[in-house]
């Protein structure tokens, strides 16, 4: 970070903080930068109808972010869209990856079986939609005499990429606070209009759903067409999703419905040609044909408590609706894929990104990732992980999706000692990204927490493609664009992510440097 | 009401109501159709920082409203603006009215003294702004064989006319619910796009503040210019006000600040030329010159617990800032003025509205109002009020502003019996308006209440004028427009109004008839 940023954010007097907070609290509710309150804050018995809301966990200041890193993240998103679309279209390659996990990861196994069942029956929809988010941290390399900063990827989300609705709002909030002089004049050399990057994510992701909806074509059933948001119920982060629904309706005039995942089988059916028909419970006589299924649920094993839930996923996957994502796309996002791509000297990246220049830019964002398997890289990784002096530079992550349960640094050797060796391949070893030290203040449940923070940049991408018919026919990309960004910021004591899970805040970028 | 409306709103099945409510609850928070929760719902100790919010009390359906009445209300708003601007500019006439109240109504007396003090010193600002709201009910006259409907005025607000910010949102909410088929198909012959009238109130009232701000001219002090919202603190209905602030900033790029009324003397000062200077507590080194003081406080005696509060009002009135409203405009809104205008065969209306056609349209909206004084009309009124058989058609209202304490129908004779005769002139007697029977459902604090309701239409008006210099020079109107509408709906058991006070809901009009 350049030196002017060392005392960022500025300290606030009592009156300054009061002014900033009262404006922040009102603006956020007036603009739907909100969540339903956590049960620890408002117990369900107090508000059985669920009418209360509160400001989404949010930073008081936009966090500093190196401009070059930010621009690079946005610039390579189309390449990432291309990469993951290509992976999702290469079933044979994906099969090789997934098969290594089948015995270890029951969730991956179930997803794969679901895919195979549909494959066996034959596909009726060759279009796939990805609303992706590639998550990065800034990595400060201090190993050379000239410290440098670059983006390193944390993970790539292919399903239920969240916070695109709120991200546009938080960037607008910080701009508003700047406009009304809520940031003291001592900070305005850093926080200034051309340093605050607005995020188009809500509108741009909705546009992605709209192009899929349109690409689906005319109604097969004669019924009106709709998009289906498959959601968890209840959902505290509902306004994030709602902003996409509203943008889809207002900007593209596309109707959508929210379907709790566990109601899939009662509220939808497949007709003889596997066209997906949705019956709104409030109006059973007005049925809709579903063009696009947008999963904001179904990404975690917790969403499948019953066998019917797997039937529901199969049911949707079998349908003619465009899936966002398909199961192959969902599986393309598993950490094992990230690990295989990021294993030093891996040949895989070139397979999917033939353009060497493009591939090298993507490669530069990979932090070295090792398997814990029988390969040469795997054996090397086991040594690094078992030795406390080297383990301290690494994180051990489970291959499956959903966050949580990461093992950090010096805890790794002990953890592995207690883990049966047969379970080791369920984890990957990743070099820790060393983010620059930053400070910020977070408003959460009415309390302001101040201190050291870590920021994680998410770049959204929209990709619509046509699947190929086999080994020789790889399909083609129809739409591909970068779709705005998210900055999530968490206290640097916590080593978990995920604002809705209670550990961080939505944020926006205050760009610094050239 | 035409017969198709007799079973309006339609009954909802469980699934229909669930769908409507879940969409209503999310949309309202996502769009700032919100209030801070009442202390009875969320106790302050649970949320000391005040971050929780809830859906503003709102009707599930737009209430039926006769189209001709609605259009007439909007059409005559400019005439009402002209009328009240003319009254506010006629100090001599207003003095005659106010002097009758001086011994009875301490609040009016204090306002008048404040006005006189400024008059004695001399004015430094000849512009005045009114953001008015004229409130009506539909009166169904069943006395003839041909029942007819017409608008009858309930009151005319010249200060702190509220809900203009939320009214735009609730009209948009009902349109949204129609768009997503939340209203069952059995109702769509009544609820349809061209029957739902959108309200431009938030934008249009903000535009009123913007024209005053501009008309103020250049800075006298060299400081940057701002508008000051003088507010109560705390304010549960804050989002209503915030929407005006945001519109003022976004649509006219005018900065505004919120000043709690009781902090007036600590945060503002008058320079030698009585220019009003505001010092933001958060940034004392960046002072502003105030172009326009917009009162959202100071309208009720409760806002003046200390003598300093009267000093504060005097301080603002003395200043060069344009007042919205000035004390004379504030006094023009007292019920005595309404009563004098609406006393049968009163000569006063013609004084202010010389155009006979215009005056007759305004007159048609007056419900007969009687003084309880020594005049002929007053003596007649006392007989009507004392006799239970006639009192049943009347309401007794205190002259002062602020709602509450009305005495209805058969309670009037007993009330007057206990009231010293010297206090009678503090009240007016008004013929009850007999609104058509309507039904609706209201969401308040998470509970849905259904039943008979009464609707009250408020029409907003913006008027900017130049005050005259004396008896011969009456000043002139510079800007005058109708500024959207509000529908407030309350249960018909309650005979009080005021949504924020806890008795009603914001609503929008579903126009019926030709």
């Amino acid at each position: 970070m350049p030196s002017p940023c060392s005392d960022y954010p500025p300290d606030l007097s009592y009156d300054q903080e009061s002014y900033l907070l009262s404006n922040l609290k009102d603006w956020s509710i007036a603009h739907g930068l909100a969540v339903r309150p956590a049960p620890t804050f408002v117990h369900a018995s107090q508000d059985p109808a669920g009418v209360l809301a509160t400001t989404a966990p949010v930073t008081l200041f936009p966090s500093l972010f190196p401009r070059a890193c930010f621009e690079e993240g946005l610039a390579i998103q189309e390449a990432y869209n291309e990469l993951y679309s290509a992976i999702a279209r290469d079933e044979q390659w994906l099969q090789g990856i997934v098969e290594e996990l089948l015995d270890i990861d029951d969730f991956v196994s179930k997803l794969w079986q679901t895919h195979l069942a549909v494959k066996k029956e034959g596909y009726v929809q060759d279009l796939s939609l990805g609303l992706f988010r590639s998550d990065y941290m800034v990595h400060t390399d201090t190993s050379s005499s000239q410290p440098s900063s670059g983006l390193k990827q944390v993970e790539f989300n292919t399903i239920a990429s969240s916070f695109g609705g709120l991200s546009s709002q938080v960037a607008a909030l910080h701009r508003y606070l700047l406009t009304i002089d809520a940031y003291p004049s001592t900070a305005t050399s850093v926080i200034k209009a051309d340093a605050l990057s607005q995020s188009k994510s809500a509108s741009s992701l909705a546009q992605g759903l709209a192009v899929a909806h349109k690409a689906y074509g005319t109604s097969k059933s004669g019924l009106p067409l709709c998009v289906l948001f498959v959601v968890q119920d209840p959902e505290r982060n509902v306004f994030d999703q709602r902003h996409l629904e509203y943008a889809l309706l207002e900007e593209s005039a596309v109707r959508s419905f929210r379907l709790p995942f566990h109601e899939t089988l009662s509220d939808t059916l497949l007709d003889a040609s596997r066209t997906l028909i949705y019956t709104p419970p409030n109006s059973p006589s007005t049925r809709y044909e579903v063009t696009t299924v947008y999963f904001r649920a179904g990404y975690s094993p917790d969403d499948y408590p019953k066998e019917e839930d797997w039937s529901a996923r199969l049911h949707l996957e079998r349908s003619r609706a465009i899936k966002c994502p398909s199961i192959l796309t969902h599986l393309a996002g598993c950490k094992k894929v990230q690990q295989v791509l990021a294993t030093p000297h891996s040949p895989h990246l070139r397979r999917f990104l033939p353009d060497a220049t493009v591939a090298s830019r993507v490669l530069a964002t990979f932090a070295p990732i090792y398997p814990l398997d029988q390969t040469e890289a795997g054996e090397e990784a086991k040594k690094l992980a078992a030795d406390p002096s080297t383990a301290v530079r690494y994180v051990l992550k489970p291959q499956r999706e959903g966050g949580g349960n990461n093992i950090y640094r010096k805890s790794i050797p002990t953890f592995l000692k207690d883990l049966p060796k047969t379970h080791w391949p369920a984890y990957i070893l990743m070099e820790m990204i060393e983010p620059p030290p930053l400070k910020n203040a977070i408003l959460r449940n009415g309390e302001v927490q101040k201190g050291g923070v870590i920021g994680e940049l998410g770049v959204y991408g929209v990709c619509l493609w046509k699947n190929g018919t086999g080994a020789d026919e790889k399909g083609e990309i129809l739409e591909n664009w970068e779709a705005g960004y998210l900055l999530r910021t968490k206290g640097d004591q916590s080593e978990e992510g995920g604002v809705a899970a209670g550990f961080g805040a939505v944020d926006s970028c205050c760009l610094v440097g050239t």
Side-chain angles (χ1 to χ4, degrees), chain A:
Chain A
M1 291 287 129
S3 58
C5 309
S6 56
D7 48 4
Y8 184 93
D11 287 330
L12 298 182
S13 68
Y14 175 83
D15 282 329
Q16 286 172 332
E17 185 166 309
S18 296
Y19 179 73
L20 190 155
L21 280 176
S22 69
N23 281 290
L24 183 157
K25 287 184 290 187
D26 288 348
W27 192 98
S28 58
I29 296 296
H31 295 80
L33 177 53
V35 292
R36 296 292 178 194
T40 49
F41 186 21
V42 176
H43 193 270
S45 63
Q46 183 184 358
D47 179 25
V51 292
L52 289 171
T54 187
T55 297
V58 67
T59 58
L60 272 55
F61 298 86
S63 283
L64 301 183
F65 205 92
R67 184 183 290 272
C69 291
F70 179 81
E71 288 173 353
E72 181 64 8
L74 267 56
I76 61 175
Q77 185 58 35
E78 287 187 21
Y80 263 116
N81 293 342
E82 185 185 339
L83 170 61
Y84 276 85
S85 164
I87 292 171
R89 278 178 278 136
D90 195 336
E91 190 221 4
Q92 203 179 350
W93 184 87
L94 210 43
Q95 180 176 3
I97 299 294
V98 164
E99 278 178 348
E100 291 189 45
L101 302 170
L102 290 182
D103 295 336
I104 306 154
D105 189 323
D106 190 50
F107 186 56
V108 167
S109 171
K110 284 286 218 173
L111 288 171
W112 186 250
Q113 286 164 31
T114 306
H115 158 69
L116 288 181
V118 179
K119 183 186 176 191
K120 191 172 172 192
E121 186 178 10
Y123 304 107
V124 288
Q125 178 57 260
D126 60 0
L127 298 177
S128 270
L129 179 67
L131 298 187
F132 297 140
R133 199 187 68 218
S134 185
D135 291 341
Y136 308 92
M137 292 207 288
V138 173
H139 178 62
T140 308
D141 186 351
T142 51
S143 60
S144 77
S145 58
Q146 277 288 77
S148 65
S149 289
L151 281 187
K152 292 294 174 185
Q153 191 179 51
V154 177
E155 64 179 0
F156 191 88
N157 301 282
T158 59
I159 184 167
S161 306
S162 56
F163 296 113
L166 297 187
S167 181
S168 295
Q169 301 298 84
V170 70
L173 167 68
H174 288 150
R175 183 180 51 189
Y176 168 74
L177 292 173
L178 174 65
T179 305
I180 63 160
D181 301 320
Y183 297 132
S185 54
T186 51
T188 48
S189 65
V190 179
I191 313 183
K192 48 194 174 186
D194 64 0
L196 296 191
S197 183
Q198 299 305 298
S199 177
K200 63 193 170 191
S201 48
S203 171
S204 195
L205 292 171
Q207 186 63 25
L209 292 168
V211 297
H213 179 82
K214 192 173 176 196
Y216 178 87
T218 55
S219 177
K220 316 301 179 252
S221 61
L223 296 171
L225 300 175
C226 78
V227 169
L228 214 50
F229 283 49
V230 175
V231 298
Q232 296 176 340
D233 182 31
E235 171 61 81
R236 285 187 47 225
N237 192 31
V238 64
F239 304 107
D240 178 46
Q241 301 172 359
R242 287 292 199 178
H243 286 302
L244 300 194
E245 288 183 58
Y246 301 144
L248 186 58
L249 184 64
E250 282 158 30
E251 296 168 20
S252 302
V254 172
R255 279 299 303 278
S256 64
F257 291 90
R258 297 174 64 78
L259 172 67
F261 182 44
H262 62 85
E263 291 171 14
T264 301
L265 294 176
S266 55
D267 294 350
T268 68
L269 58 84
L270 298 183
D271 73 7
S273 66
R274 286 154 62 190
T275 299
L276 184 62
I277 309 295
Y278 172 66
T279 304
N282 64 301
S283 181
S285 60
T286 321
R287 302 186 307 162
Y288 284 79
E289 178 171 333
V290 180
T291 65
T292 310
V293 174
Y294 175 42
F295 285 96
R296 291 296 292 258
Y299 55 83
S300 151
D302 299 341
D303 290 330
Y304 301 80
K306 299 180 184 168
E307 197 53 36
E308 292 100 274
D309 300 312
W310 284 108
S311 305
R313 185 71 186 265
L314 173 63
H315 171 84
L316 295 173
E317 191 73 8
R318 290 180 64 222
S319 81
R320 181 182 301 281
I322 298 170
K323 271 70 72 182
C324 176
S326 69
I327 285 183
L328 287 179
T329 310
H330 183 173
L331 287 167
C334 75
K335 292 193 181 72
K336 182 78 184 173
V337 169
Q338 187 190 16
Q339 168 243 305
V340 164
L341 294 174
T343 301
H345 309 293
S346 152
H348 298 292
L349 187 60
R350 218 170 313 142
R351 176 186 179 102
F352 301 112
L353 290 180
D355 183 315
T357 314
V358 170
S360 71
R361 284 176 76 177
V362 169
L363 182 64
T365 64
F366 291 166
I369 298 181
Y370 299 89
L372 289 175
D373 60 14
Q374 316 300 325
T375 62
E376 198 180 330
E379 293 302 337
E380 172 66 14
K382 289 174 196 171
K383 285 177 198 154
L384 291 165
D387 180 343
S389 73
T390 47
V392 80
R393 285 188 291 120
Y394 291 89
V395 54
L396 194 66
K397 295 183 169 192
Q399 306 249 17
R400 34 179 191 74
E401 284 305 300
N405 303 315
N406 289 344
I407 317 296
Y408 290 92
R409 304 188 195 258
K410 62 176 194 277
S411 310
I412 298 172
T414 327
F415 178 83
L416 285 178
K417 209 174 285 175
D418 296 344
L419 191 73
K421 287 230 167 184
T422 52
H423 284 52
W424 286 27
Y427 291 84
I428 55 156
L429 188 72
M430 187 169 172
E431 202 172 276
M432 284 294 285
I433 304 171
E434 307 291 354
L438 291 174
K439 287 184 197 164
N440 210 327
I442 290 172
L443 176 69
R444 159 182 295 284
N445 294 347
E447 285 173 31
V448 175
Q449 295 152 5
K450 296 173 190 173
V453 295
I454 293 171
E456 192 169 310
L457 177 73
V459 181
Y460 296 98
V462 168
C463 195
L464 178 71
W465 65 88
K466 192 171 175 177
N467 292 302
T469 51
D472 294 336
E473 212 278 90
K474 292 284 190 188
E476 58 174 327
I477 289 177
L478 306 177
E479 302 278 357
N480 179 4
W481 69 78
E482 169 264 305
Y485 82 95
L486 162 74
L487 187 64
R488 269 191 305 182
T489 289
K490 56 187 176 179
D492 61 6
Q493 293 88 350
S494 155
E495 284 177 313
E496 287 297 334
V499 170
F503 295 85
V506 288
D507 194 352
S508 78
C509 288
C510 179
L511 300 178
V512 287
T514 47

